[in-house]
Amino acid sequence: MTADPRSGRPRATSRETIAEAACELFLEQGYEQTSVTDIATRAGVSRSSFFNYFDSKSALLWGGFDERLDAACTQLAADAPVRGILSAIADGFAPDVLALAIAHADAMGVADELERGRAVRAAQLGRAIAEQAHRGGIPRLAADVHAAAAAGAVMAAVWAWAAAGSGRTALERWLHEALALVPGLGGEVRQLRVVVEAEDFDRALAFYRDVAGMPQAEAYEAEGGARVAILDAGRATLELSNRAQVAFIDRVETDGDAPSDRIRIALEVADTAEAAQRLADHGAVVEASTRRTPWRSLNARLRGPAGLQLTLFQELGPE
């Protein structure tokens, strides 16, 4: 029986063959010393074939990424949500010549070329993000600063992914972490606010503002004695847990003696024991004293004014 010639490893496309040949030559003799003719010869194609796929030698380093970048800029021009567009850059992005070049930049002699290319592409993406933000009514300066941070986060994620061994982890993970560090880049939601009805308004205000340490950002009054105060609680996040996770947390934090409310307020503090004592001294009821958790934090649980169940947590950081 004759073997099927189509079996085994799929034949590489001309684009892939050219990229592989270029990487080999960059490692053998360096980026600056390698010409387009050298690459075409090693790949077994003509110079014209090379330019069918790449505009230049430097563009070769960015092949697959540039396609995604161009698509992202097109979508940004159509005012699609920024977070989703930037996240999609990583979807299914497999290790390619860019990841290899970043990981072996010094050996290939491409460090300077990559830095130039990184700056150009960050600027291109940043302009697209800024233009969308400005069309949406954000002042030009704020739009430019925000866009530069977002575009920089994308590029930083690519570099971190490649440096960590691009074949071992997905780019999605690094990009998610990087975008989370950009203020205001959370999709359509720009702020998480917890709204609470307080029967004893003055007591609750004094407790959460003056004792818990949340500065008053805004306050309003209306007819009929209506009053509201908006307190700044720092960074906001939404933690979603299933029933098993809630039960596990309750066992760790309270030995199961103080089950979690369906909605519980968690406040990060510098010193859990000190904060818990201060809140207790001003009327909060301690439901579980300070204890160390398996996820390296010091947690305490209390019941504050307006019936809020509070978890105070102090991050301990790595060992």
Side-chain angles (χ1 to χ4, degrees):
M1 178 182 291
T2 302
D4 184 345
R6 293 171 298 177
S7 64
R9 180 181 177 184
R11 183 176 180 179
T13 65
S14 294
R15 185 187 188 95
E16 292 169 338
T17 300
I18 293 169
E20 289 176 3
C23 288
E24 291 173 1
L25 288 167
F26 295 161
L27 284 169
E28 290 172 11
Q29 59 192 39
Y31 176 82
E32 294 295 341
Q33 291 71 36
T34 299
S35 68
V36 169
T37 300
D38 293 335
I39 297 170
T41 300
R42 175 66 66 91
V45 300
S46 65
R47 274 178 59 89
S48 60
S49 293
F50 177 96
F51 288 111
N52 284 337
Y53 295 99
F54 304 104
D55 293 337
S56 64
K57 186 172 67 170
S58 61
L60 181 150
L61 297 171
W62 294 86
F65 183 85
D66 276 351
E67 293 175 359
R68 291 164 182 261
L69 181 63
D70 290 342
C73 290
T74 299
Q75 292 174 303
L76 287 164
D79 291 331
V82 175
R83 179 62 181 262
I85 293 171
L86 299 185
S87 297
I89 291 174
D91 290 349
F93 191 69
D96 66 353
V97 62
L98 176 59
L100 183 64
I102 293 171
H104 301 283
D106 291 335
M108 289 185 174
V110 296
D112 291 342
E113 187 61 45
L114 284 173
E115 284 302 315
R116 285 191 289 271
R118 176 176 179 172
V120 168
R121 287 158 179 82
Q124 177 187 351
L125 183 58
R127 281 194 301 271
I129 297 170
E131 288 303 320
Q132 186 194 107
H134 191 55
R135 287 193 300 273
I138 296 177
R140 174 62 68 182
L141 177 61
D144 287 346
V145 171
H146 173 80
V154 172
M155 304 311 298
V158 173
W159 253 250
W161 169 68
S166 54
R168 293 196 290 271
T169 59
L171 176 56
E172 287 92 338
R173 170 204 156 188
W174 295 97
L175 187 53
H176 174 77
E177 290 185 18
L179 293 177
L181 298 173
V182 181
L185 195 62
E188 297 303 311
V189 177
R190 299 197 175 180
Q191 181 183 158
L192 173 65
R193 179 173 294 174
V194 180
V195 182
V196 178
E197 179 183 344
E199 184 174 345
D200 189 338
F201 180 86
D202 288 318
R203 176 172 178 263
L205 176 60
F207 181 88
Y208 292 109
R209 181 190 62 196
D210 305 328
V211 180
M214 302 182 206
Q216 181 172 298
E218 301 173 59
Y220 305 98
E221 297 185 12
E223 60 184 21
R227 298 173 63 192
V228 61
I230 300 171
L231 308 183
D232 185 353
R235 186 170 70 99
T237 58
L238 178 62
E239 178 179 317
L240 301 176
S241 301
N242 65 10
R243 183 172 298 177
Q245 174 65 15
V246 171
F248 173 62
I249 292 172
D250 286 347
R251 289 195 301 273
V252 170
E253 289 189 358
T254 74
D255 298 326
D257 298 328
S260 293
D261 290 354
R262 185 167 173 270
I263 297 176
R264 177 166 47 89
I265 306 299
L267 304 174
E268 182 178 0
V269 297
D271 185 327
T272 297
E274 185 278 330
Q277 185 61 57
R278 185 175 70 251
L279 268 58
D281 290 344
H282 288 80
V285 176
V286 176
E287 294 187 342
S289 58
T290 302
R291 63 190 63 194
R292 187 186 181 107
T293 69
W295 44 90
R296 292 197 49 74
S297 65
L298 293 177
N299 290 24
R301 190 173 294 186
L302 303 93
R303 181 76 58 174
L308 291 181
Q309 190 177 51
L310 308 173
T311 288
L312 304 180
F313 68 99
Q314 173 188 346
E315 298 285 12
L316 298 177
E319 293 188 277

